[in-house]
Amino acid sequence: MSEIASVRPRSVGWPGLNLDEHQWPDTVRFLPYWGDLYWDGIDGQRILLLGESHYRKEGMSDSLEVTRPFTRDVFRGMAEPIRHTDDGPFFKALDSALTADGKPDAQDAADAWKRVAFANLSQAFAGSQANQRPRNEELLAGGDVLVEEILPTLKPTVVLVLGQTTWRLLPHGKREEGLPPFLARDVNRLNGRRRYIERRDIWSLDYTGGSALMTWVYHPSWNIDTWQDRALALHHLIDQANGR
């Protein structure tokens, strides 16, 4: 793994802010997941993984009692050193991106999840199946909630956007012309039948009280980017944030 930075945590704690006691407004229908060591971060940076939307079982309610704990319930187990053979490709891909390892040790993956946060852009269930996508309006509205409510509380310095659609419909941020883009070197080497986007620009995402650098990767479930490129995208952002 000589070309991918290893996880070297460095404490950068954020005193005085207890996320468990924070009073989230009702517009945040899905509370983000954050690990116990989120404030310590990875390589000095607080990292938010930004996905698209959640799916629900048939008949599940949209009430706050259901949605509020949903993200945390889904991802809390990732911070435990237990992995199952039936885990979906999305979760396996994120394990590899966080550890920079194609077949990560379960304990290493769990330790990495303790140091990051996860949220979805949409604040509504997309449906009950993976092929049911959220409406564009829900993603656009979720971007406002993200910037107005979630980011000022989590205060990330790095945001890795998981999916081109999520990136395209995030209505905030500006391109950082002076920063080198991330180049996904393997995306067309293994997927040569069509041309995928290799150059991923770095954008800044400002919010009340801070700013984060962000870029994107293709949705991890689609197996377009390799795990190496996803890991490199994350560490490219960390390196650029450390160089500010």
Side-chain angles (χ1 to χ4, degrees), residues 3-208:
E3 297 180 76
I4 301 176
S6 61
V7 174
R8 299 185 300 276
R10 183 173 64 202
S11 179
V12 295
W14 198 270
L17 183 57
N18 186 333
L19 292 176
D20 288 312
E21 297 179 359
H22 179 69
Q23 299 299 307
W24 297 88
D26 287 353
T27 52
V28 184
R29 300 189 64 81
F30 293 85
L31 298 188
Y33 160 82
W34 60 85
D36 292 341
L37 300 177
Y38 170 70
W39 294 120
D40 291 347
I42 295 177
D43 282 357
Q45 303 300 325
R46 295 182 298 277
I47 296 167
L48 172 65
L49 304 177
L50 182 64
E52 182 179 276
S53 60
H54 281 301
Y55 304 96
R56 62 179 174 186
K57 295 179 180 179
E58 291 286 354
M60 186 178 290
S61 165
D62 288 312
S63 68
L64 283 176
E65 290 77 12
V66 173
T67 62
R68 270 290 169 92
F70 197 92
T71 304
R72 300 206 72 197
D73 288 347
V74 169
F75 285 91
R76 187 179 292 114
M78 302 300 289
E80 298 293 334
I82 301 172
R83 296 295 186 266
H84 304 283
T85 56
D86 59 349
D87 284 344
F90 181 79
F91 299 100
K92 294 177 181 178
L94 294 184
D95 275 352
S96 290
L98 290 175
T99 60
D101 191 332
K103 295 182 179 180
D105 175 78
Q107 185 63 62
D108 290 343
D111 290 344
W113 276 99
K114 292 175 183 176
R115 297 182 175 277
V116 302
F118 181 96
N120 276 325
L121 188 59
S122 175
Q123 290 295 314
F125 283 118
S128 59
Q129 300 177 31
N131 60 355
Q132 295 175 331
R133 308 299 300 278
R135 294 181 300 170
N136 289 357
E137 293 82 357
E138 292 168 344
L139 294 171
L140 291 168
D144 293 337
V145 175
L146 176 76
V147 170
E148 294 168 7
E149 304 293 351
I150 296 176
L151 298 184
T153 301
L154 291 179
K155 302 185 185 300
T157 56
V158 163
V159 176
L160 182 63
V161 180
L162 306 172
Q164 186 185 23
T165 299
T166 305
W167 174 265
R168 182 172 56 84
L169 292 177
L170 176 59
H172 297 276
K174 60 183 179 181
R175 181 182 289 105
E176 286 289 335
E177 301 291 352
L179 295 181
F182 167 67
L183 298 177
R185 62 186 183 184
D186 290 331
V187 66
N188 288 311
R189 185 181 305 173
L190 300 180
N191 297 281
R193 293 186 177 181
R194 59 171 291 183
R195 295 293 296 178
Y196 292 98
I197 297 173
E198 296 178 356
R199 178 190 170 108
R200 322 281 171 81
D201 289 326
I202 307 300
W203 284 44
S204 61
L205 182 61
D206 297 335
Y207 53 87
T208 301

